[in-house]
Amino acid sequence: MTKLAGNDKKQNSKLTDKSADALVDKVASKVANGAVDKVADDLYRQELLELYRNPTNKGLMLKPDIKTEEHNPLCGDQVEISLRLDKSGRVTDALFDGKGCVISMASTSLLLDRIKGKTLAEVAAITREDLLDMIGLSLTPTRVKCAMLPLSTVKKGIVEYEAGKTGKSKTANTNIISKPIEKALKK
């Protein structure tokens, strides 16, 4: 999970052995009762809201190597993703523009952070489960569709890019995609 800079304040309190033991017992009790999951969920929700309010990688890119757009007709989320590649095919920059719910915008920021420095085959190998792990929350089926929007957009862009390299139509099928990327897209 991406860590966000926040308002970390150090507290200058001293824990005695007794108070430390009490704290450990309190935490152990909460773990046993499932309360820590709720606390963790609340923290992840706060991080996602922060990414929604202040997204990373948001902007427009001049002359991207890959640029593609997708939308979720069920909720109206839309995202346009632009990638710049180096000569070896690694993602050197990734930006997005769009609008949508907290989940779709936060997952776009998280995904683009993750793909920088990766080859297209490595990016294509990112799975639904990988992205859900980055988000760190259990989502309803409707929200999963919101979360997957950036991943499907990036993978569509890779297919279009590979098709363009071969001179084929932008509505490419996988038999014209390089073997490592084809294998990763099938996952």
Side-chain angles (χ1 to χ4, degrees):
M1 187 80 189
T2 304
K3 296 195 180 210
L4 299 175
N7 295 332
D8 295 332
K9 293 181 181 177
K10 293 184 180 180
Q11 295 182 356
N12 294 326
S13 63
K14 293 182 181 177
L15 286 177
T16 64
D17 288 343
K18 223 181 225 186
S19 64
D21 288 342
L23 182 61
V24 168
D25 289 342
K26 188 176 181 180
V27 170
S29 171
K30 287 185 178 195
V31 169
N33 294 322
V36 170
D37 288 339
K38 181 173 178 355
V39 171
D41 277 359
D42 289 345
L43 290 173
Y44 287 130
R45 280 179 175 60
Q46 288 174 7
E47 285 189 41
L48 294 177
L49 277 171
E50 181 61 26
L51 279 172
Y52 176 74
R53 290 182 190 120
N54 300 298
T56 58
N57 308 304
K58 186 153 188 189
L60 300 173
M61 184 183 295
L62 297 175
K63 298 183 182 179
D65 295 301
I66 296 175
K67 182 177 181 179
T68 191
E69 183 177 346
E70 281 288 300
H71 74 283
N72 182 345
L74 298 175
C75 63
D77 294 348
Q78 63 183 47
V79 66
E80 177 183 271
I81 294 178
S82 300
L83 305 177
R84 185 164 292 126
L85 308 174
D86 67 11
K87 291 179 183 178
S88 66
R90 287 193 180 276
V91 177
T92 60
D93 197 10
L95 294 175
F96 80 96
D97 193 29
K99 62 180 183 170
C101 68
V102 171
I103 297 295
S104 68
M105 296 295 101
S107 66
T108 304
S109 288
L110 291 168
L111 179 64
L112 296 186
D113 282 341
R114 175 70 59 93
I115 68 173
K116 289 180 184 175
K118 296 196 180 304
T119 65
L120 291 183
E122 292 169 328
V123 172
I126 295 173
T127 65
R128 173 182 195 256
E129 290 74 26
D130 294 333
L131 186 53
L132 290 174
D133 286 346
M134 286 181 233
I135 294 167
L137 290 174
S138 180
L139 300 174
T140 65
T142 303
R143 290 299 186 188
V144 169
K145 290 182 186 201
C146 297
M148 293 302 112
L149 182 62
L151 186 59
S152 64
T153 305
V154 165
K155 288 187 177 191
K156 174 186 168 192
I158 291 171
V159 169
E160 290 172 349
Y161 176 77
E162 289 291 315
K165 283 185 2 185
T166 62
K168 301 290 182 181
S169 153
K170 292 256 184 188
T171 56
N173 59 36
T174 56
N175 62 357
I176 61 169
I177 297 173
S178 66
K179 291 296 178 192
I181 291 176
E182 178 182 358
K183 184 178 177 183
L185 287 171
K186 288 183 178 180
K187 289 184 181 182

